[in-house]
Amino acid sequence: MQELGKQQKMVIGMVGLPARGKTYISRKICRYLNWMGFKSKVFNIGNYRRQICGTDCNSNFFDPGNKDASKARDECALLALNDMINYLRNEGDVSLYDGTNTTKQRRKLIMETLQQKFSEVQVFWVESICNDEDVILRNIQLTKLNNPDYVGKSSDEATQDFQQRIEQYTKVYEPIDMDENISFIKIIDIGNDIMIYNIQGFLQSKLVSYLMNLHIYPRPIYLSRHGESQYNVGHKVGGDSDLTQTGLMYAKQLGKYFVQELEGNRNIKMITSTMQRALRTSNEVCELLGIEYYSLKALDEINPGICDGLTYQQIADKFPQDYEERKMNKLTYRYPRGESYLDVISRVEQIIFEIERSRLPVIVIAHQAILRCLYAYFHEHEVPEIPKLNIPLHQVIKLVPAAYYCKETRIKIDPMTGHWEIQDEATIKKVKSFLDL
Amino acid sequence: MQGCNRSQKIAICTVGLPARGKTYISRKLNRYFNWLGYKSRVFINGNYRREICGTECNSQFFDPHNETAQKARSDCAKMALQDLIQFLKNGGDVGILDGTNITRERRLQIESDLKQSFNGIQTLWIESICNDSKVIQNNIRLTKINNPDYCNVNSDEATIDFLNRIKMYEQIYETITDDENLSYIKTINVGADIIVHQVYGFLLSKIVSFIMNLHTYPRPIYLSRHGESQYNVDDRVGGDSDLSELGEMYADKLADFFFKEFPTKETKNEIIFFTSTMRRAIHTSDVVASKLDIQPLQLKTLDEINVGICDGMTYTEIAQKFPSDFQERKINKLGYRYPRGESYLDLISRIEPVIFEIERSRQPVMIIAHQAILRCLYAYFHQNEIPEVPTLDIPLHCVIKLTPAAYFCDEKRVLINPQTGEISIKEEYVQEFVRSKSKQKSFIDL
């Protein structure tokens, strides 16, 4: 369905005081759009300011009365705007303009500049409003203190300075008004209240649905393939084969893993496909946990069409052309009478919404291609990488969403011995994420 | 996704002055839920009032100072609510209370009654606000004049009386405020502006998306199957066969038909054109596309139902090879899933995004697809009962033009002879006026 949104380029402008989750939201939207096939990029005005004015800016820099600083900040905003327009002209479909944009004047300036330089573009505003002091303080602690602006300062100093910075912005803050005649969504107190005005088009409509499902509850997501199946052993694709003995043992060990991991909490959600190997695995786990699972056709493995039941060797022999085509472009190649990875992404989108929405831990027991697509979404991989991602059998991938990224832990479970091997990838991700905005 | 979250009961209550589209929204939501597989029903306060107090109620009846009338109306509202609660107790999933509910007092009473009747019931309030007098006049003209309340009155008198009725309500109208502690959605001026407050949950979030996409533009939806295919000739299911000669002729005649339907370049460019990724549909669409100079979008979601292991077989062969499956399908064609394939219920789930797209569109929609797919789409817009879906009549070489109107859907079937190009038309205009006069029951009986 993503073809429908391709017709127009779009700019999404963020609005809100500091520490209101604008960067969080823009990154989420960017992630979602890229995953759906729309080339998107976030242009963070703060980063431009840091590059041009340096990182030694205390709260006085943000005083609206400070004429020099205001001029410098305006220039940064326009620079970011120009880069954004260039991106859209060249390869991008959607640009996200991540800045405070807290005055009517600034918003008007942006609308007029866009109208002048790139009139075919659609503009959509997302305003984040938060009045909960606890949430704001937590945001500051989680994301601002490690900000390059505060390198070398104690966390108390940094917090105080940042709160002063917020006050500077508050002096001139004008929330979006309907008479500005712009399309917008206001998200208040993390979705407690939402206001939608003048939404137009396929993409805006989808984004609103998406945004309504976001929250900041740090619930874990567990992804696992079914246990080893008969076809896995025979190296065949497709089919609806059952588990092997080893596969069954994995299922039981998986159940034991969850019993320990969940520590008595049975308030969780488990979803699986309608295929035998996944159902049997889920059955074993659910029996041990004493919960029920939901079986969804949307989680069924990629349909290999006419190649169903063949080994890769047999496919290479019988359909050499298709075999080559798939090697060259595994993402878009569609098995005759079957699916492509892009079809799977489309199919699995509703599952993404479900998982995003859920405030309970989610366990997904599914198949390789399906999990590649799900994993890529949460872990921010580039879409072309999806068909090659490493999702081996007999391994649980635990994802815990944190501020701007997902903490990942992989638990390799030996089906025979039940022995676990834990791989933690958290630290590497943390350093990368900030500069990489 | 209907597998998830079936356990909770949901009650939806409308709020708003008369002629604000409350019944329209209730009916649309009711249709949507039933189509998704939830047991849903609308309870209209107005109908209860009509049954009990009669239909000769002019605007004086609605005067807030008219004490006897007030008591009568309040009793009717209580009955509607009781019936809703009873419905939910007897296995219903979603109850929709369609009424004005414009005072805080009334709302708090209803909310408290609902919360007391069910542990963990989810309630949602939908307030429809409209300040556009043109829209209101239009609503009155389209839906009120034919209302049983005005069956003995001419349309000018009816309009004046109805406007007076609205004034009565305006005297005591209190819009929903946050301190009432209700989960609500306010839709203002037909969805131009939407406010959502404390709405959480799978189904309730879907409702917001659904309401966002509603509008009242009367645009036509054209449904047609691909032309006759090789497999159709051989009576086989599944496959990805190409068009037969007759099928190709149909494609030509279909293109001619659409060429006449959309005479100007502007109208042609407006069309939203979808087809599937299967040969027979693509070839039919290509002929239409080149004649109209437009491009169809090929959606895999519109591919025909996947018949799994029965692919390529005739019904006789299926009966012979898989007799128990054959029987099972005869008994429960809706839920039966072909091994390694799909069921009609899977199909309904699969095409939901397309339904949303069509609802959202304000331009004519053209879909060239397959029998099972079109049965599902047709059933949604034509408001058929779900169990009927697998047996609906969607023949080859026929264009079905649906024009959704206020509460019903007009239909026009254009049967095109592929060889001669001869056209025969069957029309079904829903005569709301006739229905409402002759069978009062029909208004209540949603």
Side-chain angles (χ1 to χ4, degrees):
Chain A
M1 300 285 299
Q2 29 271 58
E3 298 87 343
L4 285 160
K6 288 276 185 178
Q7 284 139 14
Q8 236 182 347
K9 307 278 180 179
M10 190 157 93
V11 167
I12 301 175
M14 304 301 299
V15 177
L17 294 171
R20 261 55 176 184
K22 298 183 298 301
T23 302
Y24 173 73
I25 294 172
S26 23
R27 291 199 65 166
K28 282 296 248 194
I29 295 177
C30 189
R31 161 94 304 253
Y32 173 60
L33 290 175
N34 274 314
W35 189 78
M36 290 283 292
F38 299 99
K39 285 207 184 50
S40 320
K41 199 168 158 191
V42 179
F43 294 82
N44 179 295
I45 302 178
N47 282 355
Y48 280 79
R49 190 257 308 151
R50 270 179 280 273
Q51 263 199 5
I52 291 163
C53 314
T55 57
D56 222 349
C57 305
N58 66 15
S59 60
N60 289 326
F61 183 81
F62 299 93
D63 185 337
N66 183 339
K67 292 278 182 235
D68 290 330
S70 288
K71 190 162 174 297
R73 288 163 60 207
D74 276 348
E75 274 173 29
C76 293
L78 284 172
L79 264 172
L81 196 58
N82 274 328
D83 282 356
M84 200 170 74
I85 294 175
N86 279 333
Y87 174 69
L88 288 177
R89 279 197 202 283
N90 291 330
E91 26 143 12
D93 295 311
V94 182
S95 296
L96 288 111
Y97 193 60
D98 178 15
T100 48
N101 299 317
T102 41
T103 59
K104 288 193 189 186
Q105 187 209 37
R106 168 65 68 87
R107 294 191 285 272
K108 191 152 172 255
L109 174 65
I110 294 167
M111 292 296 283
E112 282 171 355
T113 315
L114 284 171
Q115 187 56 31
Q116 237 177 35
K117 298 200 173 176
F118 200 17
S119 57
E120 322 87 85
V121 78
Q122 249 193 350
V123 188
F124 176 57
W125 296 85
V126 179
E127 180 170 12
S128 175
I129 297 174
C130 185
N131 305 313
D132 187 334
E133 291 298 328
D134 289 333
V135 173
I136 297 168
L137 191 56
R138 215 183 105 221
N139 278 355
I140 297 178
Q141 285 165 345
L142 276 177
T143 66
K144 305 300 171 189
L145 303 184
N146 292 322
N147 184 308
D149 289 346
Y150 295 116
V151 158
K153 303 226 168 54
S154 80
S155 75
D156 280 338
E157 263 182 44
T159 308
Q160 212 182 26
D161 184 82
F162 199 81
Q163 280 167 333
Q164 281 167 352
R165 190 195 297 195
I166 297 181
E167 272 172 41
Q168 301 286 24
Y169 276 98
T170 313
K171 285 186 207 163
V172 292
Y173 182 25
E174 298 169 292
I176 301 181
D177 208 303
M178 283 192 267
D179 61 10
E180 287 175 59
N181 232 335
I182 51 185
S183 303
F184 67 79
I185 175 174
K186 282 190 200 228
I187 303 174
I188 301 162
D189 289 333
I190 318 169
N192 196 42
D193 270 281
I194 299 179
M195 283 195 217
I196 306 164
Y197 186 72
N198 206 10
I199 297 297
Q200 293 172 358
F202 172 73
L203 205 52
Q204 288 186 17
S205 186
K206 263 198 151 332
L207 279 176
V208 171
S209 305
Y210 178 69
L211 287 171
M212 281 185 39
N213 285 318
L214 292 188
H215 61 78
I216 53 174
Y217 283 71
R219 48 90 185 82
I221 303 160
Y222 301 90
L223 307 175
S224 167
R225 285 171 70 183
H226 52 80
E228 180 191 72
S229 72
Q230 304 286 2
Y231 265 32
N232 286 140
V233 170
H235 288 302
K236 296 190 187 167
V237 300
D240 191 15
S241 55
D242 206 342
L243 296 176
T244 58
Q245 267 301 86
T246 313
L248 193 56
M249 284 197 270
Y250 171 70
K252 294 195 206 279
Q253 299 297 356
L254 187 62
K256 290 198 193 132
Y257 164 76
F258 279 122
V259 168
Q260 190 156 346
E261 170 74 7
L262 297 172
E263 295 171 338
N265 174 22
R266 294 299 181 260
N267 220 2
I268 60 170
K269 189 163 179 180
M270 189 155 126
I271 52 181
T272 188
S273 76
T274 63
M275 304 185 118
Q276 268 194 75
R277 51 203 189 271
L279 288 172
R280 275 203 81 183
T281 312
S282 307
N283 253 325
E284 294 295 327
V285 174
C286 285
E287 258 185 48
L288 275 172
L289 286 177
I291 59 170
E292 292 197 359
Y293 58 80
Y294 291 105
S295 145
L296 304 170
K297 201 148 176 55
L299 285 175
D300 278 5
E301 182 58 315
I302 188 171
N303 185 344
I306 57 177
C307 299
D308 188 87
L310 303 177
T311 64
Y312 280 113
Q313 192 53 53
Q314 286 170 327
I315 299 175
D317 292 336
K318 262 185 122 179
F319 309 108
Q321 238 181 334
D322 283 77
Y323 189 75
E324 279 314 307
E325 244 190 271
R326 190 166 203 251
K327 271 180 104 169
M328 289 208 315
N329 195 353
K330 203 170 172 190
L331 185 70
T332 58
Y333 169 79
R334 187 184 275 157
Y335 282 106
R337 309 287 316 283
E339 295 176 301
S340 65
Y341 265 95
L342 290 182
D343 294 325
V344 176
I345 289 175
S346 190
R347 186 175 21 113
V348 141
E349 188 196 345
Q350 49 175 305
I351 310 277
I352 294 288
F353 270 58
E354 252 322 280
I355 299 177
E356 280 287 9
R357 225 181 40 78
S358 173
R359 291 161 194 238
L360 304 173
V362 181
I363 301 175
V364 184
I365 295 183
H367 309 262
Q368 191 178 118
I370 298 285
L371 292 184
R372 278 174 167 158
C373 297
L374 290 177
Y375 176 77
Y377 168 82
F378 286 104
H379 219 249
E380 304 210 24
H381 283 278
E382 294 303 318
V383 172
E385 291 169 33
I386 291 180
K388 308 180 228 134
L389 289 172
N390 185 24
I391 314 275
L393 284 169
H394 305 165
Q395 203 177 88
V396 178
I397 302 175
K398 175 179 176 181
L399 299 167
V400 182
Y404 295 149
Y405 59 92
C406 244
K407 276 201 271 238
E408 170 182 337
T409 314
R410 292 203 176 212
I411 302 106
K412 269 176 67 175
I413 303 179
D414 187 319
M416 312 279 190
T417 65
H419 173 70
W420 302 351
E421 195 191 302
I422 302 186
Q423 292 170 358
D424 211 315
E425 280 176 47
T427 21
I428 312 164
K429 274 280 146 189
K430 196 167 176 183
V431 170
K432 188 177 167 207
S433 78
F434 212 91
L435 303 172
D436 203 10
L437 283 178
Chain B
M1 294 297 292
Q2 44 267 48
C4 298
N5 312 37
R6 292 298 291 275
S7 48
Q8 243 181 349
K9 304 290 179 185
I10 296 179
I12 300 174
C13 307
T14 60
V15 176
L17 293 171
R20 261 56 175 184
K22 299 183 297 300
T23 302
Y24 176 72
I25 294 175
S26 314
R27 294 203 63 167
K28 281 297 238 193
L29 280 176
N30 189 47
R31 162 95 301 244
Y32 181 55
F33 287 133
N34 275 312
W35 194 77
L36 285 183
Y38 294 90
K39 284 204 195 54
S40 168
R41 230 184 114 178
V42 186
F43 298 83
I44 306 182
N45 274 356
N47 287 353
Y48 282 81
R49 191 257 308 152
R50 271 181 278 272
E51 265 224 350
I52 291 163
C53 313
T55 58
E56 300 281 331
C57 303
N58 65 15
S59 56
Q60 294 308 317
F61 184 83
F62 298 93
D63 186 335
H65 305 297
N66 181 342
E67 281 191 19
T68 25
Q70 276 294 83
K71 176 140 193 330
R73 289 166 61 206
S74 176
D75 288 342
C76 293
K78 284 207 183 72
M79 282 176 68
L81 183 59
Q82 282 315 309
D83 280 359
L84 186 153
I85 292 175
Q86 207 44 49
F87 169 70
L88 292 179
K89 286 204 165 124
N90 292 340
D93 296 312
V94 182
I96 303 175
L97 189 66
D98 174 13
T100 48
N101 299 320
I102 49 175
T103 59
R104 292 171 62 107
E105 194 195 324
R106 168 73 64 85
R107 291 193 287 269
L108 290 175
Q109 184 62 52
I110 295 173
E111 178 80 2
S112 140
D113 285 348
L114 285 168
K115 288 265 150 84
Q116 273 176 13
S117 315
F118 290 99
N119 215 352
I121 188 175
Q122 271 189 313
T123 60
L124 176 67
W125 292 81
I126 303 181
E127 179 169 3
S128 175
I129 299 171
C130 184
N131 308 316
D132 187 336
S133 58
K134 272 213 317 251
V135 173
I136 298 170
Q137 291 277 28
N138 205 32
N139 280 356
I140 297 178
R141 191 176 55 80
L142 280 177
T143 66
K144 303 301 172 189
I145 318 276
N146 292 325
N147 183 304
D149 290 345
Y150 296 116
C151 53
N152 292 327
V153 177
N154 77 40
S155 71
D156 283 336
E157 272 185 51
T159 311
I160 295 176
D161 187 80
F162 199 81
L163 288 171
N164 280 334
R165 190 194 299 195
I166 298 181
K167 285 209 181 68
M168 296 292 173
Y169 277 98
E170 273 169 345
Q171 289 175 29
I172 53 171
Y173 183 20
E174 296 169 297
T175 187
I176 302 180
T177 48
D178 287 355
D179 62 338
E180 288 176 55
N181 231 336
L182 307 169
S183 296
Y184 68 77
I185 302 171
K186 291 193 190 195
T187 155
I188 300 163
N189 289 335
V190 198
D193 191 0
I194 299 181
I195 300 177
V196 181
H197 179 78
Q198 292 192 336
V199 175
Y200 303 116
F202 169 66
L203 212 51
L204 297 193
S205 316
K206 267 181 153 336
I207 293 173
V208 180
S209 304
F210 187 71
I211 289 186
M212 241 171 28
N213 291 322
L214 285 187
H215 61 80
T216 49
Y217 281 66
R219 47 92 184 84
I221 303 164
Y222 297 88
L223 305 175
S224 169
R225 285 171 71 183
H226 52 80
E228 183 193 64
S229 70
Q230 292 295 348
Y231 264 33
N232 287 140
V233 173
D234 302 335
D235 238 353
R236 294 184 184 281
V237 299
D240 190 17
S241 57
D242 213 332
L243 296 176
S244 67
E245 227 186 279
L246 201 64
E248 284 185 25
M249 289 194 254
Y250 174 69
D252 275 321
K253 307 295 188 299
L254 183 65
D256 288 336
F257 168 76
F258 279 128
F259 192 69
K260 291 203 195 81
E261 275 294 286
F262 297 98
T264 67
K265 194 160 202 303
E266 292 78 35
T267 52
K268 280 201 263 276
N269 286 336
E270 276 195 337
I271 303 172
I272 295 177
F273 189 7
F274 294 151
T275 189
S276 77
T277 62
M278 303 185 117
R279 276 199 203 114
R280 50 201 190 271
I282 293 177
H283 286 164
T284 313
S285 306
D286 279 348
V287 178
V288 175
S290 74
K291 183 116 200 203
L292 270 68
D293 198 19
I294 54 178
Q295 259 307 105
L297 213 49
Q298 292 174 9
L299 301 175
K300 201 155 172 57
T301 22
L302 290 178
D303 279 5
E304 183 58 314
I305 189 171
N306 184 341
V307 297
I309 57 177
C310 298
D311 190 86
M313 301 167 83
T314 66
Y315 281 113
T316 328
E317 282 166 6
I318 299 176
Q320 284 169 348
K321 254 189 131 178
F322 308 110
S324 60
D325 280 79
F326 191 74
Q327 278 316 310
E328 244 191 270
R329 192 167 201 250
K330 274 182 106 170
I331 303 175
N332 183 6
K333 201 171 174 189
L334 185 70
Y336 170 80
R337 188 185 275 157
Y338 281 102
R340 311 285 319 281
E342 296 176 297
S343 65
Y344 266 95
L345 291 179
D346 292 327
L347 221 55
I348 287 175
S349 189
R350 206 213 305 154
I351 62 172
E352 196 191 330
V354 181
I355 297 281
F356 259 65
E357 254 328 279
I358 301 176
E359 281 284 17
R360 216 174 55 76
S361 73
R362 295 168 189 230
Q363 295 152 256
V365 178
M366 204 193 281
I367 299 185
I368 294 180
H370 309 264
Q371 189 177 88
I373 294 284
L374 292 184
R375 277 174 167 158
C376 297
L377 288 176
Y378 175 85
Y380 173 81
F381 288 102
H382 204 250
Q383 307 189 34
N384 293 86
E385 294 301 317
I386 297 300
E388 291 171 33
V389 171
T391 46
L392 289 171
D393 180 32
I394 312 276
L396 282 170
H397 306 163
C398 170
V399 181
I400 301 175
K401 177 181 176 182
L402 298 172
T403 315
Y407 298 152
F408 305 98
C409 193
D410 291 332
E411 172 183 335
K412 177 170 159 182
R413 290 202 176 212
V414 182
L415 295 128
I416 306 178
N417 184 316
Q419 283 164 321
T420 65
E422 192 187 317
I423 293 188
S424 82
I425 300 184
K426 280 198 292 193
E427 285 182 274
E428 186 192 297
Y429 286 121
V430 176
Q431 295 177 319
E432 297 189 39
F433 182 70
V434 171
R435 268 204 202 192
S436 64
K437 260 193 168 175
S438 58
K439 295 188 285 164
Q440 222 171 328
K441 260 288 173 201
S442 80
F443 233 84
I444 299 179
D445 207 8
L446 289 176

